Amino acid sequence: MARRTARTLFRGLLLCSMLALLFPAPVYPQQEPVDRIMELMTVEQRIGQLFMVDFVGTDTGDESGISQLILEYKVGAVLVSESSGNIINQGEEPLARQASRLTNELQSLAFQANGQTIEGDGTFVPLFIALEQEGNGFPHTQLRSGFTPLLSNMALGASWSDDHARSTGAIVGHELASVGINMLLGPVVDVLENPRSGERGDLGVRSFGGNPYWVGGLARSYVRGVHEGSAGRVATIAKHFPGRGSSGRDPESEIATVDKTLEEMRAVELVPFTALTEYTASDPLSTTDGLMVGHIRSQAFQQGMRFFSDPLTLDEGGLRVAMDLPEFSEWRATGLLVADFLGADSIKEHRDPWGTGFPHLRIAQQALVAGNDILPLVQFSLSDDWTADAFPKIVATIERFQERYETDGTFRLWVDQAVRKILQAKLRLYGEPSLERVLVDEDAAVSAVGGGVDAVRQMAEEAVTLLYPGMEEVRARLGSPPTLDDDIVILQCFEDCYSSPVLSGEALQNVLVRLYGPEGTGQVDPERVRSLGFGQVHDWIGGDVSPEDAELVERLMQDAEWVILALSDYNPDDFPASRAAKALLEEREYYLSGKQVVAIAYDAPYHLDSTEVGKLSAYYAVYGRGIPSLEASWRPIFEQDFVPPGASPVDVAGADYWLALELQPAPGETIELQRLSPPGDEPLHVGGEPLVVQTSVILDRNGHPVPDGTYVEFRGSYLRADIFLEPQVVTDTVGGVAGASFWPDAPAPGGFIEVTAMSGEATSDALRVEVLVPVTPFPTFTPTATAIPSPIPTLTPVPTRPAPVIPTPAPSPVPPAVPATRPVDWFDLLLAGLGTVLGSLAGSQVRRGHRKGWEREVQIILYGVALALIGYILYGLGPLNPMSVLGWQGAGVRTYLLLLSTLLAFLPGAILWLRGP
């Protein structure tokens, strides 16, 4: 019986092995997750990934336009905003719940669109859901109600604290991720080198400041914070590349122009973008995920630029030249380029100055060809009717891309390159995403937001800046704080200086009364605090006011002991009322005689000229109009022991404050020199190690580390009775520190090297080191000196005040890609089945010799089938697959599967046979 069983088993295995050789397993190269997804995507799915669309309202039902764009046209990104009605800051329910429900609905639509066609196992390509959340309230902060009130970028710049920037980024990342937002269109990293008061293109407090080194450093800390706070679930898109800080135009309404050479831009505009695209293994979270390309012409990248030239967003040659620069080329391999909104007024004006048409198809195709990966079809019509005008243009654009993809090989290549980068970015957020991983908990979102208020309040206080006069003089001028008997009139422009009111006219007054009225410190009488709008004051000065209103303004101005000028944005062309404070100081200054006149800049601080500033008792800046900034603005007036710790990060000509001067080393500062080699007090041996020295952290005039690149001059003097030689070297600072090395040639016996350092008006004491030399005299001595390559490996970290700790979830690592294995197919299943049948039958025949009945034979067969099934599953998953474990390919893989199934099915019978009856 055993012999017959063995012959049967051998013949069956031989037959199945021949079949495996006739149908060898195909060789599948190992694939990255992106490659696997790309192969399974349809043309519609690939094209859809390129587009970011906006929509109106919150309806995501079957009949909605956004539902159609996601389900039928497979769009890959959605922009949400308050202006489009997607976000409701004044709603009855908590905004966090409304926003998280909206993002969940949008991602569920994306899952319906491709969740079954991409992988079929629940894996899908999620949407990018993007918004602006820059800080400083409306209009560039979309999520406000119940969320942490964020400071402006310039307020962070005035604190000069990387820790504050990082903490703010962590708050933003945590809150956005909690409600399902996974793309931040920010931060703004444009350098405000030359503030332009009153011009439309002026960035104001959206910029971190005017020094490229500090802007880049703060931006890196901010981006790191976003990634930490979101646990890697929010992508950052830094803007506006290549930098619009020196442009005199507003890119939202007309094409901006930067007329600088490449070297000039590398020294200023490009510095922050370089900092954000420079990957370092020690700080990978500080690298931005993408850059937003602004509607900007740049002489540095566009040869022969004219006033009618396309912006970089539409210029194939210019944008690719920029990305080919060494500082960007490596990052660009995976980094995203997102075009600025392709329906912006500047693009419409550029393409059709007469406003007769909108060439949407041409604009979108140009943007892709130029090198952008994500194309925002936002504001994509000439009218405000999204359904009737923008939606058809979006659909027509997507369909045109689908047609061209099928017929144009070069266009197909451009699309696939962009889609690959988009997929890589999405996989970095979620690994291989499932719907469960992408959706957020709506109830948890409500409790997750708004927790950073105390931290932001401290940051706002550290940003408060005294611009004029000095601290001692301002104390003498202001004397005691306001009392219960003092009348205070607040002139504010929160309603009259912007396209929409950013705060109520009584907001500042309400904060004052809350903090210092009867419910606070009791220093002011609420009945003696009144507010006037800039519009009222402007009309009063111009005589365009009713007698009753004129009498009211005059009475308040005459009775007031304290006049507070709450300065906001200054744009007299669009908002004439914004000139009211200037007109009051110029034309009605007699109303201010004998009063304490205090100006507080709640926006950019550089709108008053020197004559106007000279008429003030004091001039402060808080750089923002959020509640923490409003609260902090009253402290220097009502709390005599409060010393404003901030310093302006931009030029303020009216206060004679120049940033370049303030960032120079502080006059009279003593630079400390430290020996790195030889260590301790050991003498310097000629022919041995060089003398290596480094400075302490060199501080600027505001008490902060000087910017990178600050010159430091080292002098190494050789002292001996008959020789005095003085080599010198000039090097740059890194992190506020510089270093140099000195190699003395062999001199005559006896002597010292004395090293000093000087940077600006800061100098060091001499560092003297003994030199030991050979006995044989040398006729000459030529000491040499070189700069230490920066950065110095042993730099001591700069001590800074610890930032408030914001509770944020710990970053969770993205699951590593599982090595690809050959997927099983129908022929694998057939071979495994044949092997199972042969093995289980053979096992039952072996057992039959013990004659325990047919029930036991059936039992043995079932055991064999179960064991073979387990083996087949492990083969499909990889642990028992020789392709993933040993790297096998071809027919050997299927022969192995046949033998594995047969042996596993045969094993139960064999074991029982060995055990005996």
Side-chain angles (χ1 to χ4, degrees), residues 56 211 326 393 415 472 491 499 503 534 542 606 626 693 762 772 792 879 902:
V56 175
N211 179 268
K393 287 182 171 60
V415 170
E472 294 301 322
L491 310 185
S499 57
L503 288 173
F534 270 32
Y606 42 74
V693 297
L772 295 184
I792 302 170
T902 304

Side-chain angles (χ1 to χ4, degrees), residues 798-846:
V798 180
T800 58
R801 183 193 308 228
V805 178
I806 309 300
T808 56
S812 56
V814 176
V818 178
T821 60
R822 181 181 64 81
V824 294
D825 55 24
W826 66 269
F827 198 73
D828 290 327
L829 181 61
L830 175 61
L831 285 178
L834 287 174
T836 301
V837 171
L838 287 173
S840 58
L841 289 177
S844 67
Q845 292 297 319
V846 170

Side-chain angles (χ1 to χ4, degrees), residues 49-52 76-77 128 183 237 336-340 342 367-368 371-377 418 422 425-426:
Q49 288 299 311
L50 300 175
F51 295 105
M52 177 186 292
F128 275 135
M183 177 178 279
I237 309 297
L336 285 174
L337 289 183
V338 181
D340 207 342
L342 295 180
L368 176 69
N372 297 284
D373 303 311
I374 295 180
L375 313 178
L377 308 185
I422 294 169
K426 291 182 177 181

Side-chain angles (χ1 to χ4, degrees), residues 661-670 698-702 759-763:
L661 178 63
E662 297 299 320
L663 295 181
Q664 291 180 4
E669 180 190 0
T670 299
I698 303 173
L699 302 180
D700 64 22
R701 299 185 181 211
N702 290 321
S759 183
E761 298 182 43
T763 59

Side-chain angles (χ1 to χ4, degrees), residues 160-286:
W160 300 87
S161 171
D162 289 329
D163 289 338
H164 287 349
R166 181 175 175 180
S167 295
T168 300
I171 294 171
V172 172
H174 178 61
E175 295 188 340
L176 293 186
S178 297
V179 298
I181 302 296
N182 58 17
M183 177 178 279
L184 171 66
L185 300 183
V188 173
V189 298
D190 301 295
V191 180
L192 192 54
E193 183 185 21
N194 298 308
R196 295 177 305 281
S197 176
E199 296 185 16
R200 291 183 178 137
D202 188 60
L203 280 166
V205 295
R206 297 178 68 189
S207 170
F208 284 112
N211 179 268
Y213 158 75
W214 275 103
V215 172
L218 292 171
R220 280 185 65 86
S221 297
Y222 187 98
V223 167
R224 178 181 178 84
V226 171
H227 289 150
E228 290 175 330
S230 66
R233 296 293 178 88
V234 174
T236 58
I237 309 297
K239 57 186 182 182
H240 306 83
F241 184 84
R244 51 169 278 200
S246 61
S247 169
R249 300 177 183 176
D250 181 4
E252 295 179 6
S253 58
E254 55 183 326
I255 302 299
T257 301
V258 179
D259 191 11
K260 287 187 173 184
T261 66
L262 177 58
E263 292 309 310
E264 289 173 331
M265 292 196 70
R266 274 178 161 158
V268 182
E269 283 83 359
L270 294 181
V271 171
F273 295 103
T274 301
L276 287 175
T277 55
E278 180 184 10
Y279 177 85
T280 56
S282 62
D283 192 18
L285 297 181
S286 297

Side-chain angles (χ1 to χ4, degrees), residues 290-313:
L291 300 177
M292 175 172 279
V293 183
H295 298 317
I296 301 167
R297 299 186 190 97
S298 174
Q299 182 66 49
F301 307 117
Q302 297 170 281
Q303 297 297 321
M305 184 183 70
R306 300 291 186 270
F307 75 92
F308 51 80
S309 297
D310 287 333
L312 280 180
T313 36

Side-chain angles (χ1 to χ4, degrees), residues 338-409:
V338 181
D340 207 342
F341 300 161
L342 295 180
D345 289 342
S346 56
I347 293 294
K348 296 169 184 172
E349 175 73 17
H350 172 65
R351 278 283 170 247
D352 181 22
W354 300 274
T356 58
F358 177 43
H360 53 283
L361 297 177
R362 178 184 175 189
I363 289 171
Q365 291 180 85
Q366 273 191 280
L368 176 69
V369 174
N372 297 284
D373 303 311
I374 295 180
L375 313 178
L377 308 185
V378 177
Q379 304 167 2
F380 212 56
S381 63
L382 292 176
S383 72
D384 294 331
D385 191 336
W386 186 87
T387 302
D389 197 356
F391 178 76
K393 287 182 171 60
I394 293 172
V395 170
T397 301
I398 296 175
E399 291 177 342
R400 173 59 181 147
F401 270 61
Q402 292 172 354
E403 295 171 2
R404 190 170 175 186
Y405 185 91
E406 297 278 15
T407 59
D408 188 334

